[in-house]
């Protein structure tokens, strides 16, 4: 059976509500209730979260959930030191790993007027009265400590709660005014909405929230599903007291309370049943019968006064009352034969000493010594005779020794208990330390498990990368390699350059979308001499000195000991500066190199099937594949191209005219009808006119097209 802790304003719940909760859970109540509880599954402790006894409850019990009732629930005005109590509650919940905390607040906390800044952000909230402001601050405090302690929290914005009526809640204060024939003050306007939730409905909701195991918290309005106004409440009250005077404080009400708790129904399946407004008359009759008749009020006030006076005053009062009783008993039994061998005064001293300790025991003995001196004086014994006759000292010595010895025994037991308490605190702290170590080990276990799974998943990603890079076109490898690196390295500033046979220039083949407008289409390797020398040694270059204009990482792809590709990471976050990240980059570059060399070798083997004899014009199948890959790159925003269609279909003439003019990365090809096309990589129509002028000088008529055919 799960254990639930209820603290805060515990007077909100009725005995019937506690009994119903105890049928499903073991209840621990930390607070005060206005009735006696004898249920076996309920334990009542008169303590508050600010006291040490409260924290000890978390050592004795293992709570599944905690219900904290704010002092503003049901129209209350808050409790003294409530923020400190709430803080201590969350700290204990976090220490004990409580599954969730349910905060019972009020809908008044949602009554505010928002003020917005120029950017649309909320810069201020105006609350119409102090109770709404106080309730809102309690909720903000709860959210802060819930996040700090990582305790899942559910906030319930309650309307007025009706079932047990006393003079401290909303209906109770109204009924008290009605009974005393005073004016009833209602907070809002007559046409504003008023809502009540019955205690059985509230208990049903708490059941559902507690049993929800996958609940991560949330804020919810609680409503009855019925639509009433304060004017309707006034009419019902006047049915009970016809000459009742009702006035309104006319506070503005801006809270948008839903008529039906839709979110609670979707999340927890909560459906309210009771209509409280229909039972206002019966509630009033119950109040006048059971509450206002004042049963036990005198006793209750006396007990309250003694509690308020403090324990020390009560202790001295008890000693004096017992002293008077002992003297009366001693006087009226002095002539009885049964009391000849019984000393009532000595019995009184023993009681005081064993109850309150040595100091109070000696005080009781001194009081009896004073009475004894007075009795000696009554029989004519003066002070000199009393002092010099040692036999007269015997009763005084016995009284003082009795008070001292019994008080010493009491103090010794108290000290032993104090020592045990200190020892208990030490053991408790050790237990808490071991508990934290245990939970830390469990968290580390989960973290290691996630890392292992992630490690295995990395192998899956590597396998997927190998499959995607298995392609016969180098251009396709560029695109797939870029996307794979962006995914695995979690970086979107990657670029791949192709190098010419003289190792002088690097042509941009493909790059991340964010770098397309930042990077130049061609780089001079002599401007990156240090980087180039490091990469040529087959090492990964790292920009350790944060040099401006240099990439953060660079790695080479080699063909026959010559640098064929240069792969760079232009930018990197702080978490990506480590050796582990650089090693992953090296591995991925190795995969690209393997696939690239395989594709180049395949091209060499199929060269006669790639180009028309005696020209550098590729066949239609090859041209279509290249254009398709470039279009994919363009759609992905990682590269650009221009496709030029020539009017002439003379392959030899066009090929010879373009000889020495086009770059090694550009492609001249033909379609199925014999038309010739020039595919210019990493070029757009804005910078094409430079190439267009050269084509015109070669007397090549052309037009720009989007696709082949």
């Amino acid at each position: 059976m799960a254990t639930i802790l209820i603290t805060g304003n515990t007077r909100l719940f009725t005995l019937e509500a506690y009994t119903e909760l105890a049928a499903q859970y073991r209840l621990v109540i930390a607070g005060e209730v206005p009735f006696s509880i004898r249920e076996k599954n309920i334990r009542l402790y008169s303590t508050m979260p600010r006291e040490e006894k409260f924290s000890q409850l978390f050592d004795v019990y293992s709570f599944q959930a905690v219900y904290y009732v704010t002092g503003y629930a049901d129209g209350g005005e808050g409790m003294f030191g409530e923020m400190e109590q709430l803080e201590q509650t969350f700290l204990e919940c976090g220490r004990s790993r409580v599954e969730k905390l349910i905060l019972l607040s009020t809908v008044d906390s949602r009554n505010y007027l928002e003020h917005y800044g120029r950017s649309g952000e909320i810069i201020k909230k105006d609350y119409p009265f102090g109770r709404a402001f106080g309730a809102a601050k309690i909720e903000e405090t709860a959210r802060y400590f819930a996040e700090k302690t990582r305790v899942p929290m559910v906030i319930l914005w309650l309307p007025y709660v009706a079932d047990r009526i006393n003079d401290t809640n909303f209906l109770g204060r109204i009924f008290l005014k009605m009974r005393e024939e005073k004016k009833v003050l209602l907070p809002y306007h007559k046409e504003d909405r008023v809502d009540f939730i019955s205690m059985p409905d509230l208990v049903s909701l708490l059941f559902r929230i507690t049993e929800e195991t996958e609940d991560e918290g949330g804020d919810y309005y609680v409503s009855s599903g019925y639509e009433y106004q304060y004017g309707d409440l006034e009419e019902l009250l006047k049915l009970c007291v016809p000459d009742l005077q009702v006035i309104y404080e006319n506070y503005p009400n801006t809270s948008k309370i839903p008529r039906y708790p839709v979110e609670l129904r979707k999340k927890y399946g909560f459906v309210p049943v009771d209509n409280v407004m229909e039972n206002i008359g019966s509630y009033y009759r119950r109040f006048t019968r059971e509450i206002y008749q004042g049963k036990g009020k005198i006793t209750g006030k006396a007990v309250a006064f003694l509690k308020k006076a403090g324990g020390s005053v009560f202790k001295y009062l008890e000693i004096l009352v017992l002293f008077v009783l002992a003297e009366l008993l001693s006087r009226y039994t002095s002539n009885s034969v049964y009391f000849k061998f019984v000393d009532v005064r000595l019995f009184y001293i023993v009681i005081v000493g064993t109850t309150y300790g040595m100091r109070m025991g000696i005080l009781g003995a001194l009081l009896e010594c004073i009475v004894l001196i007075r009795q000696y004086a009554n029989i004519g014994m003066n002070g000199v005779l009393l002092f010099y006759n040692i036999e007269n000292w015997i009763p005084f010595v016995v009284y003082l020794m009795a008070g001292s010895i019994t008080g010493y025994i009491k103090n010794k037991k108290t000290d032993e208990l104090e020592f045990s308490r200190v020892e208990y605190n030490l053991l408790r702290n050790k237990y808490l330390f071991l508990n934290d170590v245990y939970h830390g080990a469990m968290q580390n276990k989960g973290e290691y498990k996630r890392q292992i799974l992630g490690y295995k998943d990395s192998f899956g990603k590597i396998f997927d990368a190998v499959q995607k890079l298995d392609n016969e076109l180098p251009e396709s490898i560029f695109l797939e390699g870029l996307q794979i690196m962006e995914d695995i390295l979690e970086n979107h500033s990657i670029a791949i350059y192709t190098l010419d046979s003289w190792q002088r220039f690097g042509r941009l083949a493909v790059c991340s979308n964010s770098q397309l407008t930042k990077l130049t289409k061609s780089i001079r390797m002599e401007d990156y001499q240090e980087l180039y020398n490091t990469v040529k040694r087959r090492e990964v270059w790292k920009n350790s000195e944060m040099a401006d204009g240099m990439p953060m990482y660079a790695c080479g792809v080699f063909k026959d000991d010559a640098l064929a590709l240069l792969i760079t990471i232009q930018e990197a976050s702080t978490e990506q500066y480590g050796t582990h990240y650089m090693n992953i980059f090296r591995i991925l570059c190795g995969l690209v190199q393997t696939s690239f060399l395989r594709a180049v070798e395949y091209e060499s083997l199929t060269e006669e099937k790639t180009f028309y004899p005696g020209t550098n014009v590729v066949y239609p199948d090859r041209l279509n594949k290249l254009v398709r890959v470039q279009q994919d790159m363009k759609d992905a925003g990682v590269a650009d191209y221009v496709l030029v269609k020539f009017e002439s279909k003379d392959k030899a003439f066009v090929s010879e005219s373009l000889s020495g003019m086009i770059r090694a990365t550009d492609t001249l090809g033909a379609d199925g009808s014999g038309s010739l096309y020039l595919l210019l990589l990493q070029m757009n129509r804005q910078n094409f006119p430079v190439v267009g002028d050269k084509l015109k000088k070669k007397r090549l008529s052309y037009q720009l097209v989007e696709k082949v055919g």
Side-chain angles (χ1 to χ4, degrees):
M1 181 179 290
T3 306
I4 305 297
L5 173 65
I6 303 178
T7 187
N9 183 21
T10 52
R11 298 173 63 91
L12 176 73
F13 290 96
T14 65
L15 177 60
E16 294 77 12
Y18 282 126
T19 304
E20 188 175 354
L21 287 170
Q24 299 291 332
Y25 306 113
R26 183 183 297 108
L27 287 189
V28 176
I29 305 173
E32 297 181 355
V33 294
F35 42 77
S36 60
I37 299 178
R38 297 182 180 179
E39 292 288 333
K40 64 177 182 179
N41 284 337
I42 301 179
R43 295 291 182 269
L44 176 62
Y45 297 91
S46 297
T47 181
M48 297 302 289
R50 292 175 295 175
E51 302 174 4
E52 182 181 359
K53 186 179 179 181
F54 179 81
S55 63
Q56 293 175 354
L57 295 177
F58 288 83
D59 299 330
V60 177
Y61 300 98
S62 179
F63 298 116
Q64 175 180 336
V66 173
Y67 302 163
Y68 185 93
V69 187
T70 68
Y72 296 97
D74 198 18
E77 298 293 336
M79 297 185 297
F80 176 75
E82 187 161 12
M83 287 191 177
E84 291 79 4
Q85 296 186 38
L86 192 60
E87 175 184 1
Q88 187 62 33
T89 302
F90 269 104
L91 293 178
E92 296 297 337
C93 290
R95 177 177 63 84
S96 301
R97 305 300 195 275
V98 174
E99 293 183 10
K100 71 178 68 177
L101 185 144
I102 303 175
L103 185 75
L104 303 182
S105 187
T106 172
V107 294
D108 289 335
S109 65
R110 311 302 299 164
N111 186 16
Y112 55 81
L113 186 63
E114 298 175 342
H115 294 272
Y116 298 91
R118 294 182 178 179
S119 302
E121 74 280 7
I122 299 176
I123 60 175
K124 183 181 179 183
K125 295 180 180 179
D126 280 341
Y127 295 88
F129 47 88
R131 185 173 68 252
F133 176 78
K137 293 307 174 185
I138 288 294
E139 293 174 10
E140 289 183 11
T141 303
R143 291 188 183 94
Y144 169 77
F145 285 107
E147 182 179 357
K148 181 179 179 181
T149 58
R150 298 181 180 179
V151 176
M153 178 181 64
V154 176
I155 296 180
L156 298 180
W157 293 313
L158 300 179
Y160 300 122
V161 182
D163 192 52
R164 175 185 57 81
I165 308 300
N166 57 46
D167 55 3
T168 61
N169 60 16
F170 179 74
L171 277 181
R173 291 193 297 270
I174 291 178
F175 291 162
L176 184 62
K177 297 289 186 182
M178 294 169 59
R179 185 66 183 178
E180 295 176 353
E181 298 182 353
K182 295 181 179 179
K183 296 179 180 179
V184 171
L185 186 64
L186 298 179
Y188 296 110
H189 297 82
K190 188 174 183 178
E191 62 276 7
D192 285 337
R193 183 187 172 191
V194 64
D195 196 14
F196 292 90
I197 187 74
S198 69
M199 187 59 70
D201 282 345
L202 179 58
V203 171
S204 174
L205 174 59
L206 293 175
F207 272 137
R208 296 175 180 275
I209 297 177
T210 305
E211 293 300 321
E212 179 59 50
T213 57
E214 298 182 358
D215 192 5
E216 297 181 355
D219 306 338
Y220 304 98
Y221 284 102
V222 181
S223 55
S224 65
Y226 298 96
E227 191 78 26
Y228 289 102
Q229 297 178 348
Y230 279 93
D232 301 325
L233 177 62
E234 177 184 354
E235 293 178 1
L236 293 174
L237 295 177
K238 287 184 177 180
L239 291 177
C240 301
V241 180
D243 57 347
L244 178 66
Q245 295 185 9
V246 178
I247 58 177
Y248 294 87
E249 292 185 274
N250 292 329
Y251 285 133
N253 191 353
T254 59
S255 55
K256 299 178 181 178
I257 307 173
R259 179 181 178 273
Y260 192 82
V262 178
E263 294 184 359
L264 288 175
R265 181 169 185 176
K266 291 180 179 179
K267 185 67 179 290
Y268 305 106
F270 169 65
V271 178
V273 177
D274 298 329
N275 186 353
V276 173
M277 291 288 283
E278 292 181 349
N279 301 316
I280 291 295
S282 62
Y283 285 140
Y284 177 68
R285 289 189 294 271
R286 178 182 174 185
F287 175 82
T288 56
R289 182 177 66 253
E290 298 182 4
I291 304 299
Y292 191 73
Q293 287 178 356
K295 293 181 179 180
K297 273 195 170 182
I298 297 177
T299 305
K301 289 183 178 180
V303 173
F305 172 76
L306 291 177
K307 287 184 178 180
K308 188 176 180 179
S312 59
V313 175
F314 185 81
K315 177 174 62 177
Y316 288 111
L317 181 62
E318 186 180 46
I319 292 175
L320 291 176
V321 171
L322 190 59
F323 171 73
V324 173
L325 291 176
E327 288 303 315
L328 292 176
L329 186 62
S330 177
R331 176 176 299 182
Y332 289 107
T333 59
S334 59
N335 297 325
S336 175
V337 67
Y338 299 105
F339 285 88
K340 292 294 184 181
F341 303 100
V342 176
D343 191 344
V344 178
R345 295 189 178 94
L346 182 61
F347 183 56
Y348 162 74
I349 295 172
V350 172
I351 292 176
V352 173
T354 54
T355 304
Y356 293 109
M358 182 180 292
R359 183 178 299 178
M360 294 297 103
I362 294 176
L363 176 61
L366 291 176
L367 291 176
E368 295 298 346
C369 289
I370 293 174
V371 173
L372 191 59
I373 292 174
R374 182 175 177 277
Q375 287 185 346
Y376 278 131
N378 290 337
I379 63 176
M381 186 179 295
N382 56 27
V384 176
L385 182 61
L386 180 63
F387 180 77
Y388 284 102
N389 189 355
I390 299 178
E391 294 179 355
N392 296 329
W393 293 6
I394 295 177
F396 296 99
V397 173
V398 171
Y399 286 167
L400 291 173
M401 288 186 64
S404 301
I405 294 174
T406 55
Y408 169 76
I409 295 174
K410 167 64 178 177
N411 288 350
K412 182 180 179 182
K413 294 295 182 183
T414 303
D415 292 340
E416 290 177 354
L417 290 175
E418 180 65 22
F419 174 77
S420 299
R421 189 183 68 83
V422 173
E423 188 177 18
Y424 158 77
N425 287 334
L426 292 175
L427 293 175
R428 175 173 172 264
N429 292 334
K430 291 180 180 180
Y431 160 76
L432 294 177
F433 171 74
L434 293 176
N435 189 43
D436 290 339
V437 171
Y438 167 74
H439 286 288
M442 295 301 295
Q443 291 177 354
N444 291 338
K445 177 183 176 182
E447 183 64 27
Y448 293 151
K449 183 178 180 181
R450 286 191 294 270
Q451 290 180 2
I452 292 173
L453 292 176
Y455 184 67
K456 292 181 179 179
D457 186 54
S458 296
F459 279 118
K461 290 182 178 179
I462 295 296
F463 177 74
D464 184 56
V466 172
Q467 286 187 316
K468 289 183 177 179
L469 291 173
D470 186 13
N471 201 297
E472 63 185 33
L473 286 178
E475 290 77 6
S476 296
I477 294 173
F478 297 158
L479 177 60
E480 294 294 344
L482 175 68
Q483 294 176 343
I484 290 170
M485 286 187 175
E486 288 183 339
D487 181 33
I488 296 179
L489 296 176
E490 297 181 354
N491 192 295
H492 295 275
S493 63
I494 300 172
I496 300 178
Y497 294 89
T498 59
L499 274 73
D500 59 8
S501 56
W502 294 282
Q503 306 280 295
R504 295 179 181 177
F505 295 95
R507 306 288 183 182
L508 183 63
V510 66
C511 67
S512 298
N513 180 265
S514 62
Q515 303 295 315
L516 191 58
T517 58
K518 298 180 181 179
L519 299 178
T520 58
K521 306 303 180 183
S522 177
I523 59 174
R524 295 169 59 91
M525 298 311 299
E526 63 181 21
D527 296 335
Y528 300 86
Q529 195 63 44
E530 183 180 354
L531 180 151
Y532 178 69
N533 293 335
T534 303
V535 170
K536 279 198 67 175
R537 295 194 300 267
R538 299 180 183 268
E539 299 176 1
V540 176
W541 187 83
K542 183 178 180 181
N543 189 2
S544 302
E545 299 180 0
M546 302 295 176
D548 293 336
M550 301 291 287
M552 290 304 304
Y553 293 101
C555 186
V557 172
F558 293 84
K559 179 180 180 298
D560 299 332
D561 295 328
L563 188 61
L565 300 178
L566 179 66
I567 304 176
T568 65
I569 299 179
Q570 300 296 321
E571 302 170 0
S573 62
T574 306
E575 296 80 9
Q576 297 173 342
Y577 289 161
T579 305
H580 175 70
Y581 189 82
M582 188 168 63
N583 290 335
I584 295 177
F585 177 53
R586 186 201 304 269
I587 292 171
L588 294 177
C589 291
L591 294 178
V592 173
Q593 174 172 314
T594 302
S595 300
F596 176 74
L597 294 180
R598 188 188 309 117
V600 171
E601 184 178 356
Y602 177 81
E603 279 190 335
S604 300
L605 295 175
T606 60
E607 184 174 354
E608 60 182 21
K609 297 181 181 180
T610 303
F611 297 94
Y612 285 98
T615 68
N616 59 354
V617 180
V618 299
Y619 283 105
D621 183 59
R622 175 75 173 184
L623 179 63
N624 288 328
K625 289 181 179 179
L626 292 175
V627 173
R628 210 162 31 239
V629 171
Q630 292 299 321
Q631 184 61 45
D632 291 340
M633 290 184 180
K634 186 175 182 180
D635 293 340
V638 298
D640 207 346
Y641 75 95
V642 172
L643 186 61
V644 181
K645 181 179 181 181
F646 296 104
E647 291 183 2
S648 175
K649 295 185 179 181
D650 188 345
K651 297 180 181 61
F653 169 71
V654 174
S655 178
E656 185 179 353
S657 299
L658 296 178
S659 179
M661 175 182 153
I662 61 175
R663 301 167 298 182
T665 56
D666 300 330
T667 302
L668 179 63
D671 64 3
S673 63
S675 298
L676 299 178
Y677 296 84
L678 177 61
L679 179 62
L680 300 172
L681 304 185
Q682 292 297 348
M683 181 172 291
N684 52 42
R685 299 200 176 198
Q686 284 73 25
N687 52 29
F688 174 77
V690 177
V691 179
D693 292 340
K694 294 181 179 180
L695 294 177
K696 290 178 181 179
K697 291 180 180 180
K698 295 286 186 178
R699 297 180 181 180
L700 292 174
S701 300
Y702 66 89
Q703 61 176 336
L704 300 183
V705 295
E706 296 294 334
K707 60 182 180 178
V708 177

